[in-house]
Amino acid sequence: MVTPRVLSWLGLVSFNVPDWWVTASFYAPCVAGLWMQWLTKRNLRVCRLYESSRTLALGIAVGAFLVLICNTVIPALLAEKAPIHTLSWKVFFSFASYRLYYSDLLVPIGEEIGWRGYALPRLQIRFGPVWASVLVGLMWAGFMLPALTMVQMWMSSFIVMYAVSLVALSIEMTFAMNLSGFSIIVAVIMNTLAAARTGYLSRGLITHAYPRSHWEWIWSASNLLVPVFLVFVTRGRLAAYSPEPMVDGEALSFT
């Protein structure tokens, strides 16, 4: 679906596809999850909306804190010089820092129904929470390559840094989803906030800061600090618990 746009940017064809068509392409994980669920279970129950209002609120609160605060502040503190004095802390209190386009709201729904609605709980059974998170993060990064790498002509180093950031975010999302009882709402909200944070909040925070040498690599590597901490504190379980969440009527075992 994205191929015409890629070829257009490369100058190989004279036509392009509209933005809504590219947005629709992000529903491929959702379609794949629904198709696999139908083939194996003959139903379309690929994910859980929420387990309870309490666990849903907990997952949303933890997920928002990880994405908006931890993933924004920690890299900025390490990658910028004199961060306490040069970072624009007021951006956290500005509504303009959280602007969203319609695609930022629609794209995560199609992605997360497949990635963390269908794939993640089943991969957790087989590989455990940590490796399942890494696998989903790598698949997520690979899925984004046509839109991000070929179209924008990213260098290979940027591809690596982007993949690292998605794997790190994937581990955090697994932790928040396990807390919520595998609510797809938590995954969609965290994906949406991550897109908004990168576009506005992070840029606004470092507008007047002075970056260190190789700050891009420092920023990318620092994204791993919180996931590593979560893995260490939870001893690799990332808040997986018993009794386990139910998917299409069957209990999932993460042991």
Side-chain angles (χ1 to χ4, degrees):
M1 295 178 71
V2 183
T3 298
R5 173 159 293 191
V6 174
L7 296 177
S8 176
W9 276 67
L10 293 174
L12 299 178
V13 297
S14 59
F15 65 93
N16 204 335
V17 291
D19 290 340
W20 67 264
W21 179 262
V22 176
T23 300
S25 72
F26 285 93
Y27 279 73
C30 173
V31 173
L34 290 170
W35 180 241
M36 287 300 301
Q37 181 70 11
W38 178 256
L39 287 177
T40 58
K41 299 293 183 180
R42 285 295 188 266
N43 63 59
L44 299 178
R45 297 192 295 270
V46 297
C47 59
R48 164 183 279 176
L49 195 60
Y50 68 95
E51 183 181 52
S52 69
S53 57
R54 182 184 64 83
T55 57
L56 175 62
L58 176 62
I60 292 175
V62 171
F65 176 77
L66 291 173
V67 172
L68 294 180
I69 306 301
C70 294
N71 292 358
T72 303
V73 173
I74 293 177
L77 289 175
L78 297 176
E80 308 296 328
K81 297 179 181 178
I84 301 300
H85 304 291
T86 59
L87 294 180
S88 302
W89 298 102
K90 63 182 180 181
V91 298
F92 285 101
F93 306 99
S94 172
F95 286 109
S97 301
Y98 306 96
R99 287 179 293 179
L100 293 170
Y101 293 110
Y102 77 93
S103 60
D104 294 330
L105 300 173
L106 297 177
V107 165
I109 297 175
E111 286 189 293
E112 294 307 330
I113 289 177
W115 297 140
R116 270 156 280 268
Y118 180 83
L120 180 61
R122 292 156 179 83
L123 287 172
Q124 270 202 150
I125 296 174
R126 186 176 182 90
F127 300 108
V130 176
W131 283 114
S133 303
V134 172
L135 286 171
V136 171
L138 291 175
M139 289 191 293
W140 191 10
F143 175 75
M144 298 292 287
L145 286 181
L148 295 174
T149 306
M150 295 181 68
V151 173
Q152 300 180 9
M153 304 304 176
W154 280 17
M155 295 185 297
S156 57
S157 59
F158 288 168
I159 298 174
V160 173
M161 287 187 285
Y162 184 75
V164 169
S165 66
L166 286 190
V167 170
L169 179 59
S170 181
I171 295 174
E172 295 172 352
M173 292 175 74
T174 298
F175 176 70
M177 286 197 69
N178 279 331
L179 288 176
S180 71
F182 258 86
S183 167
I184 192 64
I185 297 175
V186 172
V188 171
I189 289 177
M190 291 184 71
N191 191 324
T192 302
L193 292 178
R197 173 187 61 82
T198 302
Y200 302 102
L201 189 60
S202 294
R203 293 180 184 178
L205 183 64
I206 62 176
T207 297
H208 305 293
Y210 303 98
R212 300 181 186 275
S213 299
H214 308 294
W215 71 272
E216 299 98 335
W217 287 103
I218 297 174
W219 190 288
S220 177
S222 62
N223 283 321
L224 294 172
L225 293 178
V226 172
V228 169
F229 174 78
L230 292 176
V231 171
F232 176 78
V233 170
T234 64
R235 298 182 179 180
R237 291 188 58 81
L238 295 177
Y241 64 96
S242 294
E244 301 299 350
M246 303 285 290
V247 171
D248 53 84
E250 298 179 1
L252 295 180
S253 175
F254 301 147
T255 57

